[in-house]
C-alpha cells in the first residue's frame, strides 16, 4: 500500500494490479482449503463409521496429528535456518571460494537421498526418538533450498552497490548486514518458503518411525483397509502444506524491503 | 616523523604506487608518481586496460597497492584503516550503486550517519545537498532509487558522495552510463557545483572529450598507468608530448578545442534575432519579421524560455486570425546554457534548421543566440593564441 502511495505512475498501475492479485491470493487460498475441509467433514458425517474407522477418524486424533506435524515442521525449519543461512553467508565470502562447491555437493546429496531412507537411517543409527529423528531428517532435507536461497540472494546483489558501499567506508560487516542481507531477503525468503512447504509435506513420513502426524492416519488406514482414513489423512497433510505455502507467501510480501 | 604540511603540498600525492597482481607478468599499475593540487579536477584518461581505474581505486584503497605510498593532505595514508580513509573521500562510480532498499534521503545520509552526526544535522545536510544537485527535497527525499530516472539517480550519487563534505572526491566514469543529452547536462551542472565547492577531484574517463571539458588538468595514461602527459587541456592540445598522446587525442584537435571554451566566454548576440512573447498576435509577428529582414523569429513562453522558431511561411499557414502562435513553426529542441562548451553549442546549431543555437541562462530564460561565425572567430582566436604560446615556449627553451 505504501509503495502505491509513493510510486510514480507506472509503478502505481503495476502496484495496483499486483495488490489486487495479492488480495485474491490472500483470501482465495484459505477459502478453497476451508471448502475442501468442510466438504470432507460433511461427507464423513454422512457415513456410517465402523469401529476401526471411528477410532482413526475423530477430532482428537486429527488435532494431535496436526499439532505433531506442525511441530516437526517448525522445528525442522528453524534448525535449517540456523544452519543454512550462516552457512550460505559464509560460502559467499571470498575466502570460502575453494570449499563452496564441496559443501554445495554435500547439500545436494542431502536432498538427493530418498527422504524415507534418510529418516530410517537417522532413527536406527542415531536417534531412537521418532519426533526428534524426524526433525533432524526434515532439516537435512530442507537445508538445500535455504542454502541456495541465501547464496543466490547474496550473489545477485548488484556488485556496484557493494562497491559503492565499500567505497564510502562501510566495513565489510555493515555492508553484509545493512546492504547485502536486506537485498538478499526476497530470494532468501523464497528458499525458506520452499523449505517450510517441503518439511510440512514430508513430515507425514515421521509416522513410519513413530513420530505421529497425518501420516499415521494414512498408514493406519492403508494397513487396515480403510480408504476413508487415508483420504482424511491425505487431506489434512495437504491442507497444512498449502497453508504453509500461503503463510510463506504473505511473509515474503511483508518482509520484502520497500523500494525493491 | 611528519612535519607540518608545506603550503605547496598537494592534496593527494602518489609515490611510486604499484599494483602487481599475482600470476600476471606485467604490473597493472607500474610505479605511478602523481600530485593532485588542491581544488582542481584532475582527469585520468587513457585507453581501456591502461590501469586508470586501478590507480583510482588504490587512492581509496579499494585495491591495496603492492608497493609505493599514498599521501592525503601530506599524511601518509598507505597503511591507515581503509574504512576510515574512505569516509574522507567521496566516491562516485558509473553504476552509481544507490542502495535500492533505502530512500534517497537515507542514501545520502550514509556517511554522515557513520560519522555519528545527529538527526538534525543529517536532515539539514540532505536538504542542502538535494537543492545543490537540483532536486526538490520535498518531492524526492522519500522516494526510492527505482522511482528516479537515470540522470536523477546520478545526481543523488554525487550528492551522496559529497554528504560529509570530504575534501576529496574520486569519480570513476560518473556520467558514463547516461545518454548524451543527460550526460552533457550533468557535466555542466557538476562544473557549476564545483565552482562553489572547489573539491579536489580525481576523475576517470575513457572519453577524451569529457576529459578536455571537465579537467583542470589531464593525465594521459599509457599501459601500466605510465604517465604519457600530465598537463592542462590547453597545453596537451597544443603540444602533445608524444606520438601516443597525439594518437590518443585523435583527429580534429581543432574541434576538440571547442570543448575548452564555454558559451559564456564568447560574444552572445542578443539582438540578432527578434523575439516575441506568447501573448502577441500572428499579425504582430509578421510585422516584426518583415522589419527584421530575417528568416525566423523566436517565440518565448511566459517564463521567457525559448519555445519556437517561427518563419513567415508558418504564419501564412495559420490561415486567418487570430491564430495560435504557440502552434506555429518548429519547436526549439534544446537550448545551450552559458556553461555549455562551444562544442555543445555547435551540435545544437547543426541540429537547428537556421543554424543558430538559442542560449539560456541558469533559469532557462532566453539570453541570446550563438551562430557559426562566432564559433569560427573563437577557433581562430584560440589557434592564434596557441601558436603564440608555442613559439614563446620554444623561445624559452622549455620542453
Amino acid at each position: 500500500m505504501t509503495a502505491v502511495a509513493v510510486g510514480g505512475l507506472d509503478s502505481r498501475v503495476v502496484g495496483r494490479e499486483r495488490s489486487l492479485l495479492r488480495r485474491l491470493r490472500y483470501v482465495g487460498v484459505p477459502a478453497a482449503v476451508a471448502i475442501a475441509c468442510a466438504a470432507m467433514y460433511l461427507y464423513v458425517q454422512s457415513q456410517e463409521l465402523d469401529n476401526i474407522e471411528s477410532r482413526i477418524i475423530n477430532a482428537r486424533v486429527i488435532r494431535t496429528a496436526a499439532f505433531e506435524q506442525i511441530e516437526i515442521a517448525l522445528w525442522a525449519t528453524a534448525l535449517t535456518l540456523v544452519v543454512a543461512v550462516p552457512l550460505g553467508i559464509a560460502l559467499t565470502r571470498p575466502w570460502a571460494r575453494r570449499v563452496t562447491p564441496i559443501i554445495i555437493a554435500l547439500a545436494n546429496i542431502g536432498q538427493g537421498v530418498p527422504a524415507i531412507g534418510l529418516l530410517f537411517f537417522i532413527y536406527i543409527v542415531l536417534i531412537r526418538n521418532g519426533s526428534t529423528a524426524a526433525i533432524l531428517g526434515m532439516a537435512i532435507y530442507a537445508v538445500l533450498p535455504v542454502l541456495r536461497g541465501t547464496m543466490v540472494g547474496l550473489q545477485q546483489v548488484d556488485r556496484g552497490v557493494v562497491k559503492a558501499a565499500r567505497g564510502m567506508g562501510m566495513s565489510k560487516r555493515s555492508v553484509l548486514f545493512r546492504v547485502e542481507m536486506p537485498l538478499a531477503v526476497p530470494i532468501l525468503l523464497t528458499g525458506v518458503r520452499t523449505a517450510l512447504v517441503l518439511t510440512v509435506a514430508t513430515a507425514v513420513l515421521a509416522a513410519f518411525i513413530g513420530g505421529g502426524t497425518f501420516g499415521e492416519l494414512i498408514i493406519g488406514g492403508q494397513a487396515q483397509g480403510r480408504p476413508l482414513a487415508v483420504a482424511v489423512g491425505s487431506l489434512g497433510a495437504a491442507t497444512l502444506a498449502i497453508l504453509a505455502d500461503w503463510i510463506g507467501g504473505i511473509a515474503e510480501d511483508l518482509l520484502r524491503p520497500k523500494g525493491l | 616523523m611528519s612535519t607540518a604540511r608545506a603550503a605547496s603540498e598537494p592534496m593527494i600525492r602518489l609515490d611510486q604506487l604499484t599494483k602487481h597482481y599475482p600470476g600476471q607478468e606485467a604490473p597493472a599499475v607500474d610505479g605511478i608518481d602523481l600530485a593532485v593540487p588542491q581544488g582542481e579536477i584532475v582527469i585520468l584518461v587513457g585507453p581501456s586496460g591502461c590501469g586508470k581505474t586501478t590507480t583510482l581505486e588504490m587512492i581509496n584503497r579499494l585495491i591495496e597497492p603492492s608497493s609505493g605510498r599514498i599521501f592525503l593532505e601530506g599524511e601518509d595514508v598507505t597503511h591507515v584503516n581503509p574504512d576510515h580513509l574512505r569516509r574522507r573521500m567521496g566516491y562516485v562510480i558509473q553504476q552509481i550503486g544507490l542502495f535500492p532498499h533505502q530512500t534517497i534521503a537515507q542514501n545520502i545520509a550514509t556517511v554522515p550517519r557513520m560519522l555519528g552526526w545527529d538527526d538534525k544535522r543529517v536532515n539539514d545536510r540532505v536538504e542542502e545537498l538535494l537543492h545543490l544537485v537540483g532536486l526538490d527535497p520535498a518531492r524526492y527525499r522519500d522516494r526510492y532509487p527505482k522511482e528516479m530516472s537515470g540522470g536523477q539517480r546520478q545526481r543523488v550519487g554525487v550528492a551522496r558522495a559529497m554528504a560529509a563534505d570530504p575534501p576529496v572526491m574520486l569519480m570513476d566514469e560518473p556520467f558514463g552510463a547516461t545518454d548524451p543529452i543527460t550526460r552533457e547536462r550533468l557535466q555542466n551542472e557538476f562544473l557549476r557545483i564545483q565552482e562553489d565547492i572547489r573539491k579536489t577531484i580525481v576523475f576517470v574517463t575513457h572519453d577524451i572529450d569529457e576529459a578536455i571539458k571537465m579537467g583542470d588538468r589531464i593525465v594521459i595514461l599509457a599501459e601500466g598507468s605510465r604517465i604519457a602527459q600530465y598537463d592542462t587541456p590547453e597545453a596537451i592540445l597544443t603540444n602533445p608530448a608524444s606520438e601516443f598522446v597525439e594518437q590518443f587525442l585523435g583527429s580534429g584537435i581543432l574541434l576538440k578545442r571547442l570543448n575548452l571554451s564555454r558559451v559564456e566566454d564568447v560574444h552572445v548576440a542578443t539582438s540578432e534575432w527578434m523575439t516575441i512573447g506568447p501573448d502577441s498576435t500572428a499579425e504582430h509577428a509578421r510585422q516584426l519579421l518583415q522589419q527584421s529582414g530575417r528568416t525566423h523569429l523566436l517565440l518565448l513562453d511566459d517564463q521567457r524560455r525559448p519555445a519556437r522558431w517561427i518563419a513567415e511561411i508558418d504564419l501564412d499557414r495559420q490561415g486567418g486570425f487570430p491564430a495560435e502562435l504557440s502552434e506555429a513553426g518548429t519547436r526549439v529542441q534544446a537550448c545551450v546554457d552559458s556553461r555549455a562548451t562551444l562544442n555543445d553549442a555547435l551540435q545544437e546549431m547543426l541540429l537547428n534548421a537556421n543554424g543558430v543555437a538559442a542560449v539560456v541562462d541558469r533559469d532557462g530564460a532566453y539570453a541570446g543566440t550563438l551562430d557559426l561565425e562566432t564559433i569560427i572567430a573563437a577557433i581562430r582566436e584560440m589557434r592564434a593564441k596557441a601558436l603564440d604560446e608555442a613559439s614563446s615556449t620554444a623561445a624559452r627553451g622549455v620542453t
Side-chain angles (χ1 to χ4, degrees), chain B residues 134-170:
Chain B
L135 295 171
D136 176 17
R139 195 157 155 217
Y140 291 108
R141 57 173 300 141
D142 293 324
R143 288 208 185 175
Y144 286 95
K146 74 163 181 194
E147 297 162 346
M148 313 276 277
S149 72
Q152 291 173 329
R153 272 182 237 174
Q154 197 50 273
R155 289 188 180 90
V156 176
V158 171
R160 183 172 70 170
M162 296 193 300
D165 204 14
V168 170
M169 304 245 291
L170 306 180

Side-chain angles (χ1 to χ4, degrees), chain B residues 69-130:
Chain B
R69 292 194 297 169
I70 306 154
F71 295 89
L72 177 64
E73 297 178 277
E75 175 196 348
D76 186 344
V77 294
T78 321
H79 301 291
V80 301
N81 179 324
D83 291 336
H84 293 162
L85 174 66
R86 287 176 204 143
R87 290 171 204 174
R88 294 161 64 186
M89 301 181 176
Y91 186 50
V92 186
I93 55 177
Q94 184 178 342
Q95 310 94 304
I96 317 176
L98 294 184
F99 302 145
H101 60 303
Q102 293 186 356
T103 62
I104 299 310
Q106 288 170 330
N107 264 287
I108 294 174
T110 306
V111 179
R113 291 270 180 224
M114 277 192 281
L115 296 175
W117 292 16
D118 61 51
D119 287 352
K120 172 149 177 22
R121 192 172 166 207
V122 170
N123 282 332
D124 291 349
R125 182 65 179 155
V126 167
E127 205 113 317
E128 183 187 350
L129 283 166
L130 281 173

Side-chain angles (χ1 to χ4, degrees), chain A residues 11 15 28 39 57 73 75 93 115 211 215 260:
Chain A
S11 62
I57 311 171
W75 277 111
R93 301 302 98 186
L260 293 190

Side-chain angles (χ1 to χ4, degrees), chain A residues 67-97:
Chain A
F67 279 128
E68 282 166 341
Q69 191 152 345
I70 291 168
E71 198 182 0
I72 290 175
L74 286 184
W75 277 111
T77 304
L79 190 59
T80 303
L81 289 184
V82 168
V83 174
V85 173
L87 188 63
I89 292 172
L91 291 181
T92 49
R93 301 302 98 186
W95 44 260
R97 212 174 297 146

Side-chain angles (χ1 to χ4, degrees), chain A residues 27-242:
Chain A
V27 182
V29 170
V33 168
I35 290 169
C37 288
M40 179 60 93
Y41 178 76
L42 292 176
Y43 179 70
V44 171
Q45 286 296 313
S46 73
Q47 299 292 304
E48 200 69 37
L49 296 186
D50 67 20
N51 207 6
I52 295 174
E53 277 174 336
S54 56
R55 248 195 300 127
I56 303 178
I57 311 171
N58 67 55
R60 195 181 46 80
V61 170
I62 290 173
R63 203 183 308 126
T64 314
F67 279 128
E68 282 166 341
Q69 191 152 345
I70 291 168
E71 198 182 0
I72 290 175
L74 286 184
W75 277 111
T77 304
L79 190 59
T80 303
L81 289 184
V82 168
V83 174
V85 173
L87 188 63
I89 292 172
L91 291 181
T92 49
R93 301 302 98 186
W95 44 260
R97 212 174 297 146
R98 291 231 179 89
V99 293
T100 303
I102 303 170
I103 307 277
I104 295 279
L106 277 178
N108 272 321
I109 292 172
Q111 206 180 32
V113 168
I116 187 81
L118 184 66
L119 226 50
F120 274 117
F121 175 80
I122 292 169
Y123 182 61
I124 293 165
V125 179
L126 300 175
I127 306 166
R128 301 294 301 195
N129 174 312
S131 311
T132 316
I135 289 168
L136 184 61
M138 299 294 105
I140 291 175
Y141 207 53
V143 158
L144 189 65
V146 179
L147 183 65
R148 202 171 263 164
T150 310
M151 294 183 68
V152 173
L154 288 171
Q155 282 160 352
Q156 55 84 44
V157 173
D158 183 356
R159 289 299 99 190
V161 171
V162 175
K163 193 174 177 186
R166 293 289 287 146
M168 283 189 291
M170 285 174 83
S171 65
K172 281 185 178 149
R173 217 184 125 81
S174 63
V175 171
L176 174 63
F177 287 110
R178 289 176 39 205
V179 179
E180 291 182 277
M181 284 306 278
L183 295 178
V185 157
I187 295 179
L188 173 62
L189 282 179
T190 308
V192 174
R193 182 178 174 186
T194 308
L196 189 67
V197 174
L198 206 63
T199 50
V200 170
T202 49
V204 288
L205 297 177
F208 283 112
I209 52 174
T213 74
F214 278 116
E216 230 160 52
L217 277 77
I218 300 172
I219 296 168
Q222 183 72 19
Q224 288 160 317
R226 295 297 186 280
L228 190 60
V230 176
V232 171
S234 303
L235 182 68
T239 298
L240 289 184
I242 291 169

Side-chain angles (χ1 to χ4, degrees), chain B residues 174-193:
Chain B
F175 310 127
T178 45
D179 63 87
I181 292 176
T182 309
R183 182 177 206 191
E184 189 199 310
R185 197 171 298 154
L186 288 171
Q187 288 170 340
N188 294 343
E189 272 175 26
F190 187 72
L191 286 172
R192 170 178 61 77
I193 293 170

